[in-house]
Amino acid sequence: MKRIDFLQRASAFLGAGFLVSSFSSARESAVILENSPFSLPALGYSFNALEPHIDAMTMEIHHDRHHKAYVDNLNKALIGTAGAGVSLEELLGQISKQPAVVRNNGGGHWNHSFFWKILGPAKGSQPSAKLAAQIQKDLGGMEAMKVEFAKAATGRFGSGWAWVIWKDGKLQITSTANQDNPLMDVVENRGIPVLAIDVWEHAYYLKYQNKRADYIQAFWNVINWDFVSQQFEKINL
Ligand code: MN
């Protein structure tokens, strides 16, 4: 779609005021550059690339079945609606105006697309100097961040996500229920995601069963800090 067509459609759907106020944060957080209909992104590495921390079968089912279902159900739900042809970040910013099926599957598509990029084969990557300094300043350093992040992730009752977000000029830790995320206008703690962990049982149950804390601990071994640092620096240009 030509940009002018998109702006006209988005403007009609969202109202001109929203475009002015929210375009910058939507662009900063963008991990899905297409407008609907959406497609399942490639994982970018093999299913067994995160072994032994996250097992191949979990990755295959998680990506090929769970994530695919979110994409398929989202596309189906948007057909013939005002949300068709709009970017996912724009939809999430006004998700209160959408039905639950778009909230659940739209969140599911964005969250998993982000999660696959955060994860990666262990290559000894480290946070950039700029990100490391911000973690030190706002969260007391890497070890303190891990403790607080694990508390948010284990403390989320049932299914959901834990996040490090950029909000009010600093890094903060939060969590959301189900497939909600900090880009949505319905969550308590809105911000731009920098880091996330999926704590739905489908993300860890085959290998870790009920031991969510062990999975969260293992997660730190398979983070692609190059991507996370880029995400942070994109927000803070
Ligand atoms: Mn999941």
Side-chain angles (χ1 to χ4, degrees):
M1 189 188 300
K2 285 180 185 153
R3 182 161 180 81
I4 188 70
D5 293 336
F6 164 66
L7 286 174
Q8 280 166 353
R9 291 179 68 167
S11 187
F13 171 60
L14 299 162
F18 174 77
L19 282 176
V20 173
S21 64
S22 303
F23 236 130
S24 59
S25 69
R27 188 175 56 240
E28 284 155 359
S29 64
V31 294
I32 298 168
L33 298 173
E34 64 190 318
N35 296 340
S36 80
F38 301 105
S39 51
L40 180 67
L43 193 55
Y45 39 85
S46 59
F47 294 127
N48 67 4
L50 309 182
E51 294 268 13
H53 307 291
I54 303 179
D55 61 287
M57 185 175 281
T58 294
M59 290 302 293
E60 182 170 359
I61 295 170
H62 202 171
H63 179 270
D64 286 8
R65 298 195 214 164
H66 290 277
H67 190 174
K68 184 176 188 301
Y70 297 126
V71 174
D72 291 347
N73 291 331
L74 176 62
N75 286 334
K76 201 171 141 192
L78 288 174
I79 290 171
T81 75
V86 174
S87 81
L88 188 51
E89 278 86 358
E90 299 291 343
L91 284 173
L92 298 179
Q94 293 226 329
I95 206 70
S96 59
K97 298 185 176 174
Q98 293 289 333
V101 64
V102 174
R103 175 173 171 175
N104 292 334
N105 292 289
H109 179 31
W110 196 94
N111 295 348
H112 288 85
S113 300
F114 187 58
F115 192 51
W116 308 139
K117 288 177 180 290
I118 284 171
L119 298 175
K123 289 180 295 190
S125 70
Q126 296 291 329
S128 67
K130 193 173 170 183
L131 176 57
Q134 201 71 43
I135 289 171
Q136 188 67 43
K137 180 168 178 263
D138 298 336
L139 302 172
M142 278 294 281
E143 291 313 307
M145 177 181 78
K146 287 181 184 179
V147 170
E148 288 307 309
F149 189 80
K151 271 189 206 165
T154 51
R156 170 51 58 187
F157 184 78
S159 298
W161 293 72
W163 306 87
V164 176
I165 60 171
W166 181 254
K167 182 187 181 184
D168 301 331
K170 58 182 179 183
L171 293 173
Q172 302 185 34
I173 291 170
T174 189
S175 73
T176 54
N178 303 315
Q179 295 296 354
D180 285 354
N181 72 37
L183 297 172
M184 293 180 172
D185 64 348
V186 291
V187 302
E188 202 177 324
N189 238 345
R190 291 185 79 183
I192 303 175
V194 175
L195 186 67
I197 187 170
D198 184 346
V199 293
W200 283 58
E201 284 186 345
H202 67 225
Y204 63 88
Y205 207 85
L206 290 179
K207 182 177 176 69
Y208 295 96
Q209 295 83 45
N210 61 327
K211 294 172 285 187
R212 185 189 285 188
D214 290 359
Y215 156 69
I216 296 163
Q217 192 61 37
F219 166 75
W220 297 110
N221 295 305
V222 286
I223 294 181
N224 178 355
W225 284 108
D226 294 340
F227 171 77
V228 176
S229 300
Q230 280 165 19
Q231 181 72 5
F232 172 70
E233 284 168 26
K234 198 165 66 173
I235 297 165
N236 285 280
L237 280 178

